[in-house]
Amino acid sequence: GAVVSQHPSRVICKSGTSVKIECRSLDFQATTMFWYRQFPKQSLMLMATSNEGSKATYEQGVEKDKFLINHASLTLSTLTVTSAHPEDSSFYICSATGTSGVKETQYFGPGTRLLVL
Amino acid sequence: DAKTTQPTSMDCAEGRAANLPCNHSTISGNEYVYWYRQIHSQGPQYIIHGLKNNETNEMASLIITEDRKSSTLILPHATLRDTAVYYCIVRQGRRALTFGSGTRLQVQP
């Protein structure tokens, strides 16, 4: 399989601050990365899809100005939660997929738990 | 992408085979069946996927019916570490995976 890492694994921040989460594909080039979030006892919900070098495509109901996504290279995507509020507290998970063979499968990072006080 | 239907929960005795069913009656010809699992507080882990032939890897086997309207994931010798939520997902091309509620598998000692 392929390895996807996320950093940080957990973060606590004050309301109104911004938080950046990094997602890296460690052993393959990720042409497409996906960002999900998961609230307690719920399933994963897709937030946005980003292709390297292009603007992200956001799902309905996800504010693009609040959740800034950058996918500047084939191995790194970042999600910035701007002006975070307690309702943004959630488990954020990134996923990456490559171009061919087994790398067309979506591989997931370990997730980042965000708590906004 | 086609929707899937899975039982909400299942129990399995440690050391026995766990057979997790999934219905995907509206699957189209170019959609693959993927299985992932999510252990508590972790990101989903890829298990296996297939189009129409049965597949096997070091983790599990995937049995897809001839009409492709249903499939079964088989964990041949379940261990306590296999306790997780298992998701059956139908995916076309390289689209984002859409997660349903999955099956919560509890492996009992």
Side-chain angles (χ1 to χ4, degrees):
Chain A
V3 181
V4 177
S5 70
Q6 272 184 252
H7 178 80
S9 58
R10 59 176 61 225
V11 57
I12 301 173
C13 70
K14 292 182 179 179
S15 186
T17 61
S18 295
V19 175
K20 180 185 281 189
I21 302 170
E22 291 188 350
C23 176
R24 294 180 184 274
S25 57
L26 299 184
D27 55 358
F28 68 103
Q29 294 187 324
T31 50
T32 305
M33 286 186 168
F34 308 92
W35 287 94
Y36 293 79
R37 64 182 167 184
Q38 185 176 32
F39 293 107
K41 298 190 178 182
Q42 294 186 22
S43 192
L44 282 79
M45 295 296 295
L46 179 67
M47 298 176 67
T49 301
S50 74
N51 294 298
E52 184 264 340
S54 302
K55 287 186 178 180
T57 302
Y58 291 80
E59 295 300 299
Q60 194 170 15
V62 179
E63 300 174 55
K64 63 179 181 180
D65 294 330
K66 181 169 182 64
F67 298 98
L68 302 179
I69 292 172
N70 184 282
H71 188 175
S73 80
L74 286 172
T75 59
L76 174 64
S77 176
T78 60
L79 167 68
T80 301
V81 183
T82 62
S83 186
H85 291 286
E87 57 266 28
D88 298 322
S89 298
S90 188
F91 191 46
Y92 291 85
I93 309 168
C94 74
S95 175
T97 188
T99 54
S100 63
V102 68
K103 299 304 185 288
E104 288 183 331
T105 299
Q106 247 182 269
Y107 293 95
F108 288 82
T112 297
R113 192 162 298 282
L114 170 64
L115 176 61
V116 185
L117 302 176
Chain B
D1 291 341
K3 290 186 177 179
T4 63
T5 304
Q6 298 178 253
T8 303
S9 63
M10 292 181 66
D11 283 352
C12 174
E14 189 177 17
R16 305 297 290 266
N19 297 289
L20 290 89
C22 178
N23 285 323
H24 31 78
S25 58
T26 59
I27 193 171
S28 60
N30 60 353
E31 289 179 313
Y32 284 74
V33 180
Y34 281 79
W35 283 83
Y36 285 77
R37 71 181 182 185
Q38 186 177 27
I39 295 169
H40 184 62
S41 294
Q42 298 182 24
Q45 178 188 22
Y46 166 77
I47 301 173
I48 199 167
H49 75 282
L51 182 62
K52 50 186 174 181
N53 297 323
N54 297 337
E55 301 287 345
T56 296
N57 62 21
E58 65 279 4
M59 289 182 69
S61 294
L62 173 60
I63 308 298
I64 303 174
T65 58
E66 195 169 339
D67 63 8
R68 302 211 320 126
K69 293 185 177 182
S70 65
S71 61
T72 301
L73 179 74
I74 301 173
L75 306 179
H77 306 287
T79 71
L80 297 178
R81 287 182 293 181
D82 292 322
T83 292
V85 178
Y86 287 77
Y87 297 98
C88 167
I89 304 169
V90 174
R91 181 195 191 205
Q92 182 183 63
R94 296 167 66 244
R95 286 185 174 181
L97 294 165
T98 300
F99 287 78
S101 301
T103 295
R104 184 171 298 277
L105 175 69
Q106 180 69 50
V107 180
Q108 306 283 359

